Amino acid sequence: RHPDWDDNRLFNVARLINRQRIDEACGHLRAGLSVTQAMLDAGFNTKSTFNREFRRITGQSPTDWRG
């Protein structure tokens, strides 16, 4: 680990990246893709991580968000 790296900064970068990926997934859901396909196309590999981040960012599950 490089001494100049700040754990908080890395954490915030990861959150920013996940927010962008969730925004992308929302676009896929709006376009009619399944939740699984939206998850994969947005770059998530595990459903649990996708669902957790989706709920953290939108306040809803992907299925509820899509309505």
Side-chain angles (χ1 to χ4, degrees):
R1 183 174 151 206
H2 193 278
D4 291 339
W5 285 99
D6 176 39
D7 286 339
N8 245 356
R9 185 173 296 144
L10 291 175
F11 178 74
N12 289 334
V13 169
R15 284 228 164 155
L16 175 65
I17 291 168
N18 279 341
R19 178 171 294 277
Q20 291 173 332
R21 291 163 74 196
I22 293 299
D23 286 346
E24 182 179 347
C26 288
H28 294 319
L29 292 171
R30 272 190 225 98
L33 270 64
S34 70
V35 171
T36 300
Q37 195 59 54
M39 173 194 83
L40 294 171
D41 287 357
F44 287 91
N45 297 317
T46 59
K47 195 172 186 179
S48 60
T49 301
F50 175 69
N51 286 335
R52 182 184 67 241
E53 288 299 298
F54 198 99
R55 186 176 295 277
R56 183 181 66 77
I57 290 167
T58 68
Q60 298 178 301
S61 72
T63 303
D64 290 342
W65 184 90
R66 184 172 56 182

